[in-house]
Amino acid sequence: MLFNKLTVFTTFVLAFAATGFCKATNKTVAVESSSRFCLLLPPYPCSYISDNLDRSISFCTSGISDIPNAKTFPDDFIQSAHYLKQTDRYVQVTGRIDRREYGLHSDDSGGQNDPKHPVGALCRNYPYFVQFIEPNDNIYCLRCCKNRSDCPIDRSGEGCRAVIGGNYD
């Protein structure tokens, strides 16, 4: 009897997954250059960043196509991108967004993503990362690090400029 229930359950799960309802979303960020990077954003436009930290999914520049199930940034969402590689310790990208291109809110002060938010998030080729999206200031930042100390995740209320120094023009 248990075998029959298990067989029916397994068949149901496989059929459900095959329809696309269980399609995995990616939670991978990446920084290769100022034109090749991925950030985490809410899964739907017109959302608040802080309300979706645990549901964030990968969005990439058109130059990155090897992050499975990642979406491409909306046209004109990324307004500027400044890449920095600090020897082999970390890489980062900082810059400006146009929040309107993804329907983000002007009163949204944003939030921090890291390996704990969403659970299972990671940066390709690096064990640690910290990312902020701040729609109210139209800025973003991402740093991927070899050492935890270079990616402070305990300063979530401080934002891009305080946690990740860089060019936000």
Side-chain angles (χ1 to χ4, degrees):
M1 182 76 156
L2 179 61
F3 178 74
N4 287 341
K5 287 182 181 179
L6 184 59
T7 302
V8 169
F9 176 75
T10 303
T11 303
F12 173 76
V13 169
L14 290 173
F16 193 69
T19 64
F21 289 107
C22 293
K23 187 174 183 179
T25 56
N26 205 313
K27 299 179 264 187
T28 302
V29 295
V31 181
E32 295 177 5
S33 70
S34 61
S35 62
R36 293 178 50 87
F37 61 93
C38 301
L39 302 172
L40 296 172
L41 290 173
Y44 306 105
C46 305
S47 300
Y48 281 87
I49 298 292
S50 61
D51 292 345
N52 287 279
L53 293 175
D54 289 325
R55 291 184 291 278
S56 300
I57 62 171
S58 300
F59 281 77
C60 301
T61 58
S62 59
I64 293 186
S65 60
D66 60 341
I67 303 286
N69 300 319
K71 295 184 177 188
T72 302
F73 290 118
D75 291 341
D76 300 321
F77 179 73
I78 300 295
Q79 295 289 299
S80 67
H82 306 283
Y83 173 79
L84 174 68
K85 181 173 184 173
Q86 184 64 34
T87 61
D88 62 348
R89 289 177 38 207
Y90 64 81
V91 294
Q92 70 181 40
V93 63
T94 59
R96 300 197 63 75
I97 59 171
D98 183 343
R99 68 177 164 260
R100 298 170 300 179
E101 297 300 325
Y102 194 56
L104 299 176
H105 303 276
S106 61
D107 64 342
D108 184 357
S109 59
Q112 173 183 305
N113 288 105
D114 55 55
K116 296 179 182 180
H117 300 285
V119 172
L122 57 93
C123 182
R124 184 171 54 190
N125 301 324
Y126 291 87
Y128 308 102
F129 81 93
V130 61
Q131 171 198 286
F132 293 89
I133 306 288
E134 299 176 29
N136 61 332
D137 286 337
N138 275 322
I139 63 173
Y140 69 93
C141 57
L142 168 63
R143 180 181 285 175
C144 297
C145 310
K146 295 287 185 187
N147 302 307
R148 179 176 290 168
S149 61
D150 290 322
C151 280
I153 64 170
D154 58 344
R155 298 172 59 191
S156 62
E158 297 180 45
C160 279
R161 289 184 174 97
V163 177
I164 301 177
N167 186 340
Y168 293 95
D169 294 333

